[in-house]
Amino acid sequence: MLLPAETAIAQSASSARMLISAARAATLKLINQLEAAEPHAPVLVRGADPFDLAAARALADPALDLAYPLKGPFKAEPLDWGEGAAAALELARIAGILPAFLIDPEQAGEAQSFAPADLSALVDTRRVVIAARAHLPVNASEECEIVAFRSVDDIREHVALVFGEARSDRVPLIRLHSECLTGDVLGSLKCDCGPQLDAALHAAAGEARDGGWGIVLYLRQEGRGIGLVNKLRAYRLQDLGFDTIEANQRLGLPDEARDFPVAARMLELLGARSVRVLTNNPAKVAALQAAGVTVVERVAHQLPSGPHNERYLATKRDRAGHILP
């Protein structure tokens, strides 16, 4: 029985053992660098005293290390149910919560059965369908259609903004834009997401004016797939000096967790099987191709940097392989 440390409602639950990520275990000096080579791998930890939920959350969240500096002693134990443990950490990522669970806790309440094989249903893109579509005038063009997509296994509702009419003799220009509340809505200067979205909409609208068509997929994958709360935890770690990739890893989360197959399914439903992709990220092109989309061209999508996002963009260039100056 696994109880998520962050979202459990059984406030009196406690356990002698926890499941955490390898990256977090390495930070706590419980495993060596070799064992932490896969940051998202599960590690079984035992404490000298039982973990209640407050202690479990403090152990799991590196953003709380300064507030709760004294931890331990703990030790890592052998884990002989690795498939189930890995599935639990992946469920946590999908839910956008800390990858940390109490194991067989007392007073946890009734459990819900879940098998590792059940994960496949959560990522089955065949379940994604078009739920609604409507005309939506936007700043980039008054002639725009918004298309909403829904899956029975996913509460996120992705949308596409389509400019122009689908036609077989013109390859559409597309942009995959992952949701960024702080950048798209609040005007954050820590990233370039808001300006990138605006420029992509105008580029797609320009394709329609030139007789072609353009699509901007707005994917509900906050924080490159780790969720809003975890993204803000990563921001806190960035304030302490870690770059974006290091911050994700210290949280025990992948630095790239976006769902590109769902984007491929959306394009399929829109009739865009061959595309030109507006991106600086070759890995995004490769991910689309792996999901069955024919990419005939990568189109650069570069915007000026600012004093608050220079390190963010440098990390994209130097550690994530983006084509930037």
Side-chain angles (χ1 to χ4, degrees):
M1 182 188 289
L2 300 178
L3 185 70
E6 181 171 2
T7 56
I9 60 174
Q11 293 301 308
S12 58
S14 65
S15 174
R17 298 182 301 163
M18 280 187 64
L19 188 72
I20 61 174
S21 69
R24 185 59 176 152
T27 301
L28 297 168
K29 311 299 184 186
L30 298 177
I31 59 175
N32 59 38
Q33 186 174 2
L34 180 63
E35 293 171 306
E38 173 47 61
H40 197 46
V43 175
L44 183 61
V45 174
R46 180 179 292 274
D49 299 309
F51 298 103
D52 60 17
L53 287 177
R57 290 163 183 160
L59 179 75
D61 188 354
L64 297 179
D65 282 347
L66 292 180
Y68 300 94
L70 298 178
K71 297 182 175 71
F74 309 119
K75 67 175 182 178
E77 294 190 341
L79 179 63
D80 58 6
W81 42 283
E83 184 183 11
L89 293 198
E90 181 61 11
L91 272 177
R93 184 201 65 76
I94 292 172
I97 62 175
L98 289 167
F101 295 83
L102 296 181
I103 299 174
D104 291 330
E106 298 178 358
Q107 303 183 53
E110 185 177 354
Q112 173 67 45
S113 177
F114 189 89
D118 294 336
L119 276 174
S120 61
L122 297 181
V123 296
D124 185 357
T125 60
R126 292 173 299 178
R127 296 170 178 251
V128 176
V129 298
I130 293 177
R133 56 200 313 163
H135 175 246
L136 180 71
V138 295
N139 285 336
S141 172
E142 294 183 1
E143 298 303 319
C144 172
E145 181 183 33
I146 184 168
V147 184
F149 300 80
R150 176 181 285 164
S151 171
V152 296
D153 295 309
D154 193 344
I155 62 171
R156 299 171 301 177
E157 295 165 332
H158 308 290
V159 300
L161 295 172
V162 182
F163 300 86
E165 298 293 330
R167 44 187 298 177
S168 60
D169 62 331
R170 291 286 293 267
V171 178
L173 177 70
I174 72 151
R175 169 72 179 170
L176 274 57
H177 186 92
S178 294
E179 178 183 35
C180 178
L181 173 68
T182 50
D184 299 340
V185 178
L186 304 179
S188 168
L189 301 178
K190 287 180 68 71
C191 63
D192 58 348
C193 298
Q196 277 199 340
L197 174 60
D198 187 61
L201 291 170
H202 280 86
E207 290 289 309
R209 286 191 293 270
D210 291 339
W213 56 308
I215 303 170
V216 175
L217 300 186
Y218 194 83
L219 305 169
R220 306 296 298 280
Q221 303 183 135
E222 183 78 50
R224 301 174 75 86
I226 66 172
L228 175 62
V229 174
N230 280 330
K231 183 177 83 167
L232 298 186
R233 290 184 173 120
Y235 278 0
R236 179 73 177 271
L237 294 174
Q238 291 167 34
D239 290 340
L240 298 176
F242 299 101
D243 66 27
T244 51
I245 292 176
E246 292 166 342
N248 279 29
Q249 291 177 345
R250 290 182 75 85
L251 286 166
L253 297 167
D255 52 89
E256 175 57 89
R258 287 175 289 185
D259 185 352
F260 292 108
V262 75
R265 171 63 173 168
M266 293 165 69
L267 291 171
E268 176 189 357
L269 291 172
L270 292 172
R273 300 182 181 275
S274 295
V275 298
R276 296 157 53 230
V277 183
L278 192 62
T279 184
N280 301 318
N281 184 2
K284 185 180 287 187
V285 173
L288 277 177
Q289 291 173 325
V293 179
T294 299
V295 179
V296 301
E297 182 185 5
R298 182 192 70 82
V299 180
H301 190 50
Q302 194 168 304
L303 298 170
S305 64
H308 296 281
N309 65 15
E310 284 179 341
R311 189 184 183 199
Y312 165 80
L313 294 173
T315 301
K316 277 188 172 183
R317 179 193 64 215
D318 299 338
R319 300 197 60 185
H322 290 223
I323 301 173
L324 295 167

